[in-house]
Amino acid sequence: MLHALLKIFLLCGVLASGWAQALQLSATRLWPSPDYTRITLEAAQPVAHQYFTLSNPERLVIDLEGVEKNAVLDALTAQLSADDPYIGAIRVGINRPGVMRVVLDLKAAVRPSVFQLQPLAEYGHRLVIDLYPDQVADTASSPAVLPQPAMAGLKPAGPGIPQYARLVIVAIDAGHGGEDPGAIGAKGSYEKHITLALAKKLKQKIDAQENMRAVLIRDGDYFVPLVQRVTKARALKADLFLSIHADAFIKPHARGSSVFALSENGATSVAARWLAKKENEADLVGGVNIDVKDPFLKRTLIDLSQTATINDSLKLGNAVLKEIGGVNTLHKAQVEQAGFAVLKAPDIPSILIETAFISNPEEERRLNDSAYQDQLADAIVVGVRNYFDKHPLGAPSRLTLNP
């Protein structure tokens, strides 16, 4: 009898130990976007899981092994908005002892991509669930094709006034987003929010130009992998690519604006190399499934010896840098170059604009000021116009000027 009681006592101890070690999620995040919806489950340890899909109606089921139900997990359902393009409802409950089940009621069939991320920056272990539209086999690794720009048509013009045979398409890339906050200012500002605000203002001002139309690579707070930023711009047949950022440095006194272009032969300075490395790590922070073979990667990032495109990028960068210098101190008086992944479109003049140092308290304050954002956007637009005035593009897919 005593022996039996001892066994029961020991068994209860083992079970209690198992319960004590059950994993609790530390954060849940939901990021809807036009191209896909992402769910992130964060914990102190890797989350063992299994998943499968069900049809009629469409559902994605994720079983989380050894995860306890808590307020953080319950909060996931509250993050869902009615306009999410893929998820209609989220249900959470205990499926069986030791297994928490998350059921996503879907609005349509999806192609899920589920993967783990190791701890990085301020994040712990992350289980990422990406939901892509179930359209073609490579949807999970390629962006949705955006609509082609409308033709402006030939317009009557007076003496000396050029006619525009086609709209100039400017792709505006708001740096970072979603899981990737970018740099964080001394007062807590996130680079991803500032770059999106600037990008939206810039789009409004470019759209107000008679012969220009702007498209946003990212129009909300979600993560876009670097290669998809490039392929989106190419799908739009963009004439220019402007990537908007707000720099940071370990010392708060660093200040000023900078413009960067791609380099074929290494960085033009140690600082440019450091910045390119930091910006290229956005995919690591934001989270990319490295098991997905991206069919666009090779085609987009090959042949970096596009000397003509890089030369055009330098001309564009100089025109923009000159105008920004009238609004803010320049960190460097010339366009610098480095191996920025987001600038590697082989056929689109592309620049990266570091608008200011968000790590500088004064510049952080100005970056959050709407009037200052307007000044920056105006300067960029003038620089773009000056570039086109001096270097009109004659290729059929670019702007054609008819005197």
Side-chain angles (χ1 to χ4, degrees):
M1 183 69 178
L2 181 61
H3 181 69
L5 290 173
L6 181 60
K7 287 177 66 176
I8 293 173
F9 177 77
L10 291 174
L11 178 61
C12 289
V14 170
L15 291 174
S17 175
W19 291 333
Q21 293 175 5
L23 187 62
Q24 291 196 349
L25 298 183
S26 56
T28 59
R29 294 179 291 275
L30 193 153
W31 307 101
S33 79
D35 295 338
Y36 72 108
T37 288
R38 167 168 290 191
I39 292 175
T40 304
L41 308 179
E42 186 175 351
Q45 300 173 15
V47 179
H49 64 282
Q50 295 181 342
Y51 70 95
F52 55 92
T53 57
L54 297 171
S55 299
N56 299 318
E58 300 292 336
R59 286 154 290 164
L60 175 65
V61 179
I62 307 107
D63 284 341
L64 308 175
E65 300 176 7
V67 171
E68 281 189 340
K69 198 169 189 287
N70 64 0
V72 171
L73 185 55
D74 289 338
L76 181 61
T77 59
Q79 298 177 47
L80 180 65
S81 61
D83 58 355
D84 188 291
Y86 304 109
I87 304 175
I90 300 176
R91 294 178 283 130
V92 178
I94 299 174
N95 176 252
R96 57 189 184 275
V99 176
M100 190 65 58
R101 173 164 287 186
V102 179
V103 179
L104 307 180
D105 295 327
L106 304 171
K107 296 180 178 179
V110 301
R111 184 174 298 277
S113 175
V114 182
F115 56 97
Q116 298 263 19
L117 293 172
Q118 296 296 314
L120 185 68
E122 71 270 28
Y123 295 123
H125 291 271
R126 286 176 286 171
L127 176 64
V128 177
I129 301 105
D130 286 344
L131 306 177
Y132 293 89
D134 186 22
Q135 294 176 348
V136 294
D138 63 352
T139 302
S141 60
S142 63
V145 176
L146 302 179
Q148 296 299 310
M151 299 298 289
L154 295 177
K155 297 182 178 181
I161 300 177
Q163 296 178 1
Y164 300 101
R166 184 186 180 281
L167 289 174
V168 175
I169 307 303
V170 181
I172 305 172
D173 171 47
H176 308 282
E179 288 289 288
D180 174 22
I184 301 176
K187 300 293 185 181
S189 301
Y190 281 16
E191 181 181 6
K192 66 175 182 177
H193 297 319
I194 288 174
T195 60
L196 183 59
L198 281 166
K200 288 181 175 180
K201 283 182 178 289
L202 186 55
K203 173 175 167 55
Q204 291 177 347
K205 295 176 185 296
I206 288 178
D207 286 346
Q209 304 298 309
E210 181 184 3
N211 66 314
M212 292 186 183
R213 175 185 172 218
V215 290
L216 294 175
I217 299 298
R218 169 172 83 85
D219 62 2
D221 186 13
Y222 49 86
F223 172 68
V224 183
L226 296 174
V227 69
Q228 289 193 12
R229 295 172 190 256
V230 178
T231 54
K232 275 190 172 187
R234 298 190 77 214
L236 284 160
K237 301 188 185 299
D239 298 296
L240 296 180
F241 182 89
L242 309 177
S243 191
I244 309 298
H245 291 258
D247 205 355
F249 194 62
I250 55 175
K251 297 182 179 179
H253 59 74
R255 62 176 301 147
S257 302
S258 306
V259 175
F260 297 85
L262 184 65
S263 170
E264 294 180 80
N265 303 308
T268 51
S269 70
V270 173
R273 184 183 303 109
W274 176 83
L275 181 63
K277 180 179 182 296
K278 187 184 71 170
E279 297 294 0
N280 291 346
E281 289 173 348
D283 278 355
L284 298 177
V285 180
V288 173
N289 188 356
I290 60 175
D291 292 330
V292 172
K293 307 304 181 187
D294 194 330
F296 287 83
L297 182 64
K298 185 175 181 181
R299 190 175 71 192
T300 305
L301 302 187
I302 60 170
D303 195 8
L304 302 186
S305 60
Q306 299 294 320
T307 305
T309 300
I310 292 177
N311 285 341
D312 285 341
S313 300
L314 290 170
K315 294 172 184 175
L316 170 65
N318 280 315
V320 170
L321 188 66
K322 179 180 178 182
E323 298 303 322
I324 290 179
V327 177
N328 190 27
T329 303
L330 294 181
H331 187 67
K332 288 291 180 68
Q334 67 281 341
V335 178
E336 291 209 81
Q337 294 177 263
F340 293 91
V342 80
L343 301 182
K344 290 183 178 179
D347 50 357
I348 306 173
S350 305
I351 59 173
L352 185 146
I353 304 169
E354 292 285 0
T355 53
F357 278 85
I358 195 174
S359 53
N360 181 302
E362 174 60 21
E363 292 202 334
E364 179 187 13
R365 183 191 64 78
R366 297 176 73 191
L367 284 169
N368 281 287
D369 181 71
S370 180
Y372 181 69
Q373 291 176 359
D374 279 324
Q375 288 181 294
L376 277 174
D378 285 335
I380 294 170
V381 172
V382 172
V384 169
R385 290 214 62 91
N386 290 342
Y387 167 76
F388 278 118
D389 288 344
K390 294 180 180 179
H391 310 285
L393 301 177
S397 63
R398 304 260 178 93
L399 173 66
T400 302
L401 294 177
N402 299 314

